[in-house]
Amino acid sequence: MRVIFMGTPDFSVPVLDALVEAGHEVAAVYCQPPRPAGRGKKDRPTPVQARAEALGLPVRHPVSLRGAEEQAAFAALEADVAVVVAYGLILPQAILDAPAKGCLNIHASLLPRWRGAAPIHRAVMGGDRETGVCIMQMEAGLDTGPVLLSRATPIGPQETTGDLHDRLSRMGAELIVEALARLDALEPETQPEDGVCYAEKVDKAEAAVDWTRPAEAVDRQIRGLSPFPGAWAVINGQRVKLLGSCVGEGDGAPGEVLESQAEGGLTVACGTGAVRITRLQRAGRGAQDAAEFLRGMPLAAGARFGAPQGRAGGEDGQ
């Protein structure tokens, strides 16, 4: 099948690889333009651009698809289908209509739950027990199109957004190959109106940990914001990112260190219950398991993680 691929971040790369490996003809790869990054602030190509160029595929990165010239160039590719995954631009109707079989989106949630920008973060932060991937026929609305194929997967009790991101990326790659192979036989299913919710983009203001919240909410916040932007708290005057956790045991004043042993881990009291912190990162250093972190920054039982001003989010972690 002649395919236009549209994606930008790391999440999209396995999908591009899968399309090539499945023998589809990739007519062009669309992605976001290179942007300044690193210490020198030099333009850096996106992960998809870098992978497409390594595969010898033609790359396009327009800043908009609303102009008649860009739309004509897109239509001139005469694609059978466009595969879209985390592209980053709104597709005008002329783009949606150009491929013979339309545009298919790989969305990392079980629609209609978590439409929008941050479905993986919100599934973990919301305490969902499962999530998945949908192959959706795109239309003008935000993730409102009919679903052609879906696959569910449980969310592990200690799974972070980073862990889930990688699993769902691989699932999406497998599912789109299956969907294209069966495309003419698949029956589109209209999304139900019940259960619609929106995954708003994560704001860095959500990352400060409020230890007065229940342990379950703090645990979901830590895992849901790992690795980026990273939930954080202050200890011994230093701001520390908390990147891994599970619900622990014990009670104490919110933010109080209940257990701090290289062998036993780091347990911190919350408004109700406690969380066990399994992975942390000090400013200017790499992420460390709790045991390694505590060897470099010993914390006595009774030490306190500082609470930021204001609340970090609602009771459900959103």
Side-chain angles (χ1 to χ4, degrees):
M1 196 172 290
R2 186 170 169 83
V3 176
I4 297 171
F5 180 77
M6 310 179 81
T8 293
D10 287 320
F11 187 85
S12 310
V13 172
V15 179
L16 177 58
D17 284 339
L19 293 173
V20 173
E21 291 169 7
H24 294 289
E25 178 190 359
V26 179
V29 172
Y30 279 73
C31 60
Q32 288 286 295
R35 291 192 169 91
R39 291 184 178 179
K41 295 299 180 182
K42 295 182 179 179
D43 281 353
R44 179 181 297 175
T46 66
V48 163
Q49 179 176 345
R51 184 58 183 152
E53 290 176 348
L55 292 169
L57 299 173
V59 176
R60 300 179 180 181
H61 38 69
V63 296
S64 171
L65 292 169
R66 296 190 181 279
E69 186 176 344
E70 283 294 346
Q71 292 175 7
F74 187 90
L77 292 169
E78 298 184 336
D80 296 310
V81 68
V83 171
V84 185
V85 52
Y87 175 42
L89 284 183
I90 293 174
L91 305 189
Q93 194 63 49
I95 296 292
L96 295 174
D97 293 341
K101 298 178 184 295
C103 298
L104 304 184
N105 177 246
I106 303 172
H107 188 75
S109 80
L110 296 176
L111 293 166
R113 186 162 178 79
W114 301 129
R115 294 174 178 172
I120 305 176
H121 290 84
R122 297 302 176 187
V124 178
M125 294 172 74
D128 292 10
R129 294 188 176 183
E130 71 170 8
T131 186
V133 172
C134 286
I135 307 299
M136 178 190 69
Q137 187 81 49
M138 295 182 72
E139 57 182 31
L142 178 63
D143 299 330
T144 58
V147 174
L148 298 176
L149 205 58
S150 65
R151 183 174 297 165
T153 185
I155 299 175
Q158 295 189 48
E159 198 160 24
T160 66
T161 285
D163 298 330
L164 194 55
H165 169 283
D166 294 347
R167 285 208 298 119
L168 294 179
S169 177
R170 294 191 294 269
M171 283 180 59
E174 295 170 0
L175 204 60
I176 190 62
V177 170
E178 179 182 344
L180 292 180
R182 300 170 49 197
L183 191 55
D184 291 336
L186 293 175
E187 291 289 337
E189 293 188 10
T190 301
Q191 294 184 38
E193 293 298 324
D194 293 338
V196 173
C197 60
Y198 290 91
E200 294 183 5
K201 184 178 179 180
V202 172
D203 191 310
K204 288 185 178 180
E206 298 179 75
V209 174
D210 180 352
W211 298 101
T212 66
R213 299 164 71 208
E216 292 79 7
V218 173
D219 169 56
R220 297 198 307 257
Q221 178 190 14
I222 292 170
R223 293 186 294 107
L225 296 179
S226 175
F228 181 83
W232 64 270
V234 175
I235 186 75
N236 290 346
Q238 296 189 44
R239 179 164 162 162
V240 176
K241 283 188 177 183
L242 312 177
L243 299 175
S245 65
C246 59
V247 174
E249 296 181 355
D251 293 289
E256 179 185 356
V257 175
L258 303 178
E259 181 182 26
S260 176
Q261 302 176 12
E263 295 79 16
L266 176 59
T267 303
V268 183
C270 300
T272 56
V275 293
R276 183 168 170 265
I277 311 299
T278 59
R279 195 161 180 80
L280 307 91
Q281 183 177 11
R282 295 164 68 180
R285 305 197 180 188
Q288 299 174 307
D289 291 337
E292 184 180 5
F293 177 88
L294 291 171
R295 284 193 288 270
M297 182 190 279
L299 299 175
R304 293 287 291 272
F305 277 90
Q309 297 295 316
R311 297 183 63 80
E315 291 299 318
D316 63 355
Q318 297 175 43

